[in-house]
Amino acid sequence: MSDGGIHPAKTFVDAAHDTLSNTQMRRNLRHVTSAIRDKRTRAVSEVDNWEDLREVASQTKQHVLENLETYLLQLEESVTRAGGQVHWATDAREAREIVAKIALKHGAKEVIKIKSITTDEIELNGFLQGRGVAAIETDLAELIVQLSHDRPSHILVPAIHKNRSEVRDLFNATLGAKLESDEPAQIAGAARTYLREKFFSVKMAVSGANFAIAETGTVCIVESEGNGRMCLTLPDVLVSIMGIEKVLPRWEDLAVFLEMLPRSSTAERMNPYNSMWTGVTENDGPKEFHLVLLDNGRTQVLRDEVGSQALKCIRCSACLNVCPVYERAGGHAYGSVYPGPIGAILTPQLLEMKDDKANTLPYASSLCGACYDACPVKINIPEVLIYLRGKVTKKKGTTLESLALKSMLWVMQEPHRFEGALKLGRLGQGPFTQNGKFTVLPGLLSGWTHSRDLPELPKQSFREWWKEQGQ
Amino acid sequence: MKEEMLRRIRAAKHPARTPLPTYPARPSRPQQETTERFVEHVEDYKARVQRIAGVSQLPMAIRRALGQKQKVVVPEDFPQEWLPENLDLIRDPGTLSHHQIKLQEVVITGCKLGISDTGTLVLDSGAHQGRRVISLIPDHHICIIFTDQIVQGVHDAVLQLESSVQAGQALTWISGPSATSDIELVRVEGVHGPRTLDVVLVG
C-alpha cells in the first residue's frame, strides 16, 4: 500500500538512520541514480537549445502561478463545455469524498488506477478500501509496492528498492503466478496476465494528470507501459485528480514540457505513450469524465514569494537522481510521497511549516546545487532550502544554539577576542582530547562528534606563527 | 469548495508580471534529413521500420510485417487496396465491442503525423486511424506513415495538432512499443500496450 501521504513519521535524521542500514536499497539506488544520470546527460545534450527551453518552461510555470485564478476558471469552463464535470477540493478529505461518492454512485467495487503521486498524497487507496472499494494499481512498480504493503522510494521507479527475486516471490505469493525464472520480462508477463482481466472488467478508473490546458480543456498523461491507455480508454467512468498548479494556459504551451519531461525523467527522447483527451468523446473512451482540482496546502505555498517556486515542479525526478543525499538515504527517509530535494522543499510547505518532523527536511541537503542545475523548470531548490531553514530557526526563537552562535559572533568580531579565545581553548581542551583528537564532545557539541572525530587545537595558531615570522 | 479555493488564491496576491514566453526558433533541417532521423529514432525504440516507394507496395510491406498472423482489425475507412489479400479482417465502424477487438491479433492504422526529433507517431482519430481502443488492445500494431507527414520537432507537431484538439479529438502519441524499466531498471518491451510496433514509411 502506498498510503502514508505527506506526513513523515520521524525526523529526517532518525528515518535516514534506518534506511542507511539497508545495504540492498543503497546498492539499488546507487545503480539506478547513476544509470539515469548518465543517460539523462546524453538525452539533454541532443537538444541544442536546452537552456532556452528551461527558461521558457520556467517562465510559463511562473506565469501560471501569477494568474492561477484566471486559468482554473477557464479550465473549468472548457472541460464542462467538452462534456466533463469539474470538482474543487480544498483538502485531501474533500478530494477523497468526491472520488468515493462517484464510485458509490456507480456501484463500483473496484477501481483501476494509473500511477499518481497526487492520489498517494491524499491517501486515496486506504480511504476507498474503508468504503468497500478496492483500488488496484496498474503500473508495474506501483502494483509491486501495493502488493507488498510497502511505500514508493522513487517518484519515477517506485519499487526500485526491490530486486527481481523479491518481486518474483511476491507475485507467486499474491497473484498466484507460478514463476520460476526471475527474468524481468517473465515478471512483467505475470503482471500483464493479472491486470488484463481487470482492464476488461473494471468499470471505473482513477488517475492523476501531468498537464491540463485551460484554453481547450485537454488533459494529458504521459506513461510507458500502456496501463494508462487501458485505464483512460476501456472503463465507462474516469476520475482524474490534479494539483491546481498543473494547469497550462494554451495548447501550444504543452510543447516545451513534452520536450523536456521525458528527457529529464526517464532520459528518453519521448516516453512510449502520451494520452490527451478533451472531456468526453462519443464512442471513444469513458462516457463520464470527472476532473478534481486539488488545493491541499498549495494555496498556502502560493502565498510565499520565495517558497512558491516549488509549485513549478513537473515531477520529473531529475533532482532525486543527482542528489548525493537522496542517493544514500533513499526515498523512504523523507517520510513523504515527495522524496528528494523537491520533497525537502514541498512537503514542509504543504504542511504549512507546522509539522516538526517535516520541518527537518530542509536540512537534508549539502546545498551542492546539483538539483538546481538539473531542474527543467529552474526551481532554485538550494535557495528555497536555505530560506525554509531560516523560517524553521525563526520559529524556534532563542535556543542554546542561537545564543552560542551569537557569542561566537561577538568573539570573532575583534582579533584580540579571537586570539584570547584560542588560548583559553587550548587550556580547556585537555580533559576532552585523546591522541590529539576530540572523540566525545560534551552537551550541545556532542552532535559533532557523534559520527566523527575532531582534531584538537594545535599548540600554535597560524596567527601566532605569522607574528613570529615577522619578528 | 470552489469559492474558498478562489478566495485563498486571491489572498496570495501574486502580481502578474511574467508574460507568457515565445518558443525559441530552431533552424530547420532539410526534409531528407528529417526523414532519416525519424527512421533512426523509431528504430532506437526497437520498432521495425520498412521504407517503400509508393502505396502500390503497401500490401507487400504489410504482408511482411504480419508474418503468419491473419486476424486483423482496421478502422472502417482504411483503404482496401493498401491491404494484402486473404486476411481474416474486421473493420471497426466505431461499434465493435472490446471483446471483438481482443480476438484480433493485429491492428493496422494510419496516423496524423510523425515527429523526427523524438521518433514519435501521433494518432488523432482522424483519417485511417479509428478509435483509440482499436490501436490499443491487439498485441501488434502496424502503422502507416507518409514522408510528408513527418515534422521536425515536438513544437511543430503541437502546432499542427491544434485543430484536432479544438475539434475535441483524443490524441495518442506512440514512441516505440509498450515498455517498462520498473524491475532493476531493465527495459522490458511490451507490458500492456502492443508488444510489437511496425512502421511502414511511404515515399
Side-chain angles (χ1 to χ4, degrees):
Chain A
M1 195 70 63
S2 50
D3 286 342
I6 50 174
H7 302 271
K10 292 178 176 179
T11 64
F12 181 78
V13 170
D14 286 345
H17 208 264
D18 299 345
T19 54
L20 282 171
S21 56
N22 185 340
T23 47
Q24 185 199 311
M25 175 163 2
R26 287 174 62 184
R27 208 168 28 237
N28 289 3
L29 276 175
R30 196 167 52 236
H31 169 64
V32 69
T33 51
S34 61
I36 300 190
R37 268 202 304 270
D38 296 347
K39 239 180 112 189
R40 178 187 163 273
T41 311
R42 283 198 299 275
V44 166
S45 66
E46 261 187 32
V47 181
D48 310 328
N49 54 353
W50 183 259
E51 286 306 315
D52 294 341
L53 294 182
R54 281 181 82 203
E55 197 52 46
V56 170
S58 169
Q59 283 179 22
T60 305
K61 282 286 183 181
Q62 184 59 36
H63 174 87
V64 167
L65 295 181
E66 291 169 8
N67 300 276
L68 199 50
E69 181 182 0
T70 311
Y71 292 127
L72 287 176
L73 289 171
Q74 196 187 355
L75 177 67
E76 179 184 40
E77 198 190 310
S78 357
V79 170
T80 312
R81 196 174 47 230
Q85 299 174 47
V86 176
H87 309 260
W88 301 67
T90 49
D91 55 21
R93 192 186 52 80
E94 278 180 19
R96 292 189 298 242
E97 287 290 352
I98 292 166
V99 182
K101 222 167 129 183
I102 299 168
L104 294 176
K105 192 182 105 191
H106 290 279
K109 290 272 169 256
E110 291 181 321
V111 298
I112 42 178
K113 282 188 68 202
I114 309 179
K115 173 176 181 290
S116 149
I117 317 175
T118 310
T119 61
D120 290 342
E121 175 191 325
I122 63 169
E123 301 172 63
L124 182 67
N125 292 5
F127 179 82
L128 287 179
Q129 196 170 19
R131 295 290 174 96
V133 182
I136 300 158
E137 295 289 351
T138 63
D139 170 78
L140 179 55
E142 286 285 343
L143 180 68
I144 295 168
V145 169
Q146 183 177 45
L147 291 173
S148 55
H149 304 285
D150 201 347
R151 292 176 64 137
S153 58
H154 192 285
I155 294 181
L156 181 71
V157 274
I160 203 61
H161 55 291
K162 297 210 180 293
N163 59 28
R164 55 179 80 185
S165 55
E166 283 178 288
V167 180
R168 176 199 56 196
D169 296 346
L170 175 72
F171 280 10
N172 284 343
T174 54
L175 300 182
K178 294 187 178 72
L179 294 167
E180 283 173 14
S181 154
D182 59 6
E183 268 308 299
Q186 306 272 330
I187 298 174
R192 178 185 170 102
T193 310
Y194 165 71
L195 287 171
R196 217 158 170 84
E197 187 261 320
K198 298 289 178 197
F199 288 135
F200 285 99
S201 60
V202 178
K203 294 289 171 223
M204 175 169 154
V206 177
S207 81
N210 289 99
F211 309 98
I213 315 296
E215 180 189 31
T216 60
T218 309
V219 182
C220 171
I221 283 190
V222 307
E223 52 132 353
S224 294
E225 295 174 7
N227 63 310
R229 291 176 70 192
M230 291 280 178
C231 292
L232 297 171
T233 315
L234 301 182
D236 293 334
V237 184
L238 170 65
V239 183
S240 303
I241 305 167
M242 63 173 258
I244 48 175
E245 78 281 14
K246 297 280 185 79
V247 66
L248 292 176
R250 308 163 303 183
W251 167 250
E252 188 192 339
D253 298 321
L254 186 59
V256 70
F257 297 101
L258 289 181
E259 188 138 35
M260 300 189 90
L261 177 58
R263 292 181 198 265
S264 301
S265 58
T266 50
E268 292 167 300
R269 296 189 179 103
M270 190 63 79
N271 47 287
Y273 301 128
N274 297 333
S275 293
M276 296 154 210
W277 71 97
T278 308
V280 175
T281 311
E282 209 188 327
N283 272 334
D284 188 355
K287 300 179 181 72
E288 202 177 300
F289 170 56
H290 299 265
L291 183 64
V292 182
L293 305 174
L294 177 73
D295 180 348
N296 205 31
R298 286 165 175 78
T299 49
Q300 192 65 32
V301 184
L302 192 66
R303 293 171 86 113
D304 194 302
E305 183 109 16
V306 180
S308 59
Q309 54 182 308
L311 296 177
K312 286 153 76 176
C313 175
I314 56 172
R315 314 277 188 262
C316 69
S317 73
C319 64
L320 276 64
N321 299 328
V322 298
C323 179
V325 176
Y326 174 86
E327 182 177 329
R328 287 159 183 85
H332 293 157
Y334 296 79
S336 159
V337 297
Y338 300 109
I342 186 63
I345 63 171
L346 196 55
T347 303
Q349 290 199 89
L350 285 175
L351 297 170
E352 303 182 12
M353 304 304 293
K354 286 177 186 157
D355 186 298
D356 287 342
K357 296 192 183 89
N359 284 354
T360 63
L361 291 172
Y363 294 89
S365 168
S366 63
L367 300 176
C368 74
C371 47
Y372 182 28
D373 291 340
C375 178
V377 291
K378 290 181 109 167
I379 301 171
N380 192 335
I381 297 178
E383 180 192 42
V384 183
L385 285 168
I386 295 170
Y387 171 78
L388 294 180
R389 288 179 189 184
K391 280 191 137 183
V392 172
T393 312
K394 213 166 162 187
K395 259 182 83 176
K396 278 189 191 156
T398 307
T399 58
L400 218 52
E401 190 185 0
S402 69
L403 282 176
L405 283 173
K406 259 189 201 142
S407 42
M408 280 279 273
L409 181 70
W410 181 81
V411 167
M412 287 181 164
Q413 264 167 346
E414 288 289 338
H416 69 270
R417 284 184 211 149
F418 184 62
E419 281 165 31
L422 282 178
K423 276 185 190 143
L424 270 175
R426 275 205 294 275
L427 286 174
Q429 70 183 349
F432 303 105
T433 56
Q434 225 176 6
N435 303 328
K437 287 189 176 93
F438 288 96
T439 48
V440 188
L441 279 170
L444 189 69
L445 301 171
S446 63
W448 181 268
T449 49
H450 185 65
S451 52
R452 55 196 174 305
D453 294 337
L454 180 71
E456 66 174 18
L457 293 167
K459 302 269 178 301
Q460 187 183 36
S461 74
F462 172 77
R463 301 170 76 96
E464 288 164 345
W465 173 83
W466 187 251
K467 259 187 209 159
E468 229 176 68
Q469 297 300 306
Q471 277 166 3
Chain B
M1 296 298 284
K2 180 176 169 183
E3 281 317 310
E4 173 60 14
M5 277 167 67
L6 292 176
R7 190 192 62 73
R8 291 184 193 173
I9 292 168
R10 274 179 228 126
K13 291 202 189 78
H14 269 280
R17 56 188 168 206
T18 312
L20 270 176
T22 43
Y23 208 86
R26 232 178 248 174
S28 64
R29 295 195 172 87
Q31 184 61 37
Q32 195 191 339
E33 198 188 326
T34 302
T35 308
E36 279 162 14
R37 280 166 55 92
F38 173 77
V39 172
E40 197 182 303
H41 291 165
V42 173
E43 284 176 338
D44 269 357
Y45 295 122
K46 299 201 182 152
R48 297 186 298 209
V49 183
Q50 295 183 63
R51 209 167 163 184
I52 58 174
V55 282
S56 61
Q57 293 169 344
L58 262 175
M60 213 169 61
I62 289 174
R63 170 63 73 200
R64 219 171 3 233
L66 282 170
Q68 299 302 312
K69 295 170 193 159
Q70 297 281 336
K71 294 158 89 71
V72 173
V73 58
V74 292
E76 190 172 35
D77 64 348
F78 197 87
Q80 185 67 42
E81 62 273 18
W82 291 4
L83 291 166
E85 284 168 8
N86 302 323
L87 292 179
D88 179 355
L89 183 82
I90 52 169
R91 289 179 177 273
D92 174 39
T95 50
L96 288 181
S97 71
H98 296 166
H99 183 70
Q100 283 171 298
I101 301 169
K102 204 159 78 171
L103 295 174
Q104 302 309 104
E105 299 163 290
V106 186
V107 55
I108 308 173
T109 70
C111 67
K112 169 73 176 176
L113 55 85
I115 306 171
S116 168
D117 280 352
T118 58
T120 302
L121 299 156
V122 181
L123 275 63
D124 75 346
S125 322
H128 312 147
Q129 297 160 61
R131 300 182 293 160
R132 282 181 288 173
V133 66
I134 64 163
S135 58
L136 172 64
I137 298 178
D139 206 18
H140 184 171
H141 183 186
I142 301 174
C143 189
I144 317 295
I145 182 169
F146 294 82
T147 43
D148 61 4
Q149 286 182 298
I150 302 173
V151 301
Q152 192 177 314
V154 172
H155 186 242
D156 306 309
V158 165
L159 290 183
Q160 236 188 79
L161 291 163
E162 176 138 21
S163 52
S164 314
V165 172
Q166 297 285 8
Q169 291 162 246
L171 306 183
T172 305
W173 295 38
I174 298 172
S175 308
S178 153
T180 184
S181 301
D182 279 345
I183 301 167
E184 296 185 12
L185 221 62
V186 177
R187 188 179 164 96
V188 175
E189 267 85 29
V191 193
H192 304 296
R195 285 187 268 201
T196 311
L197 176 66
D198 268 290
V199 177
V200 183
L201 176 59
V202 187

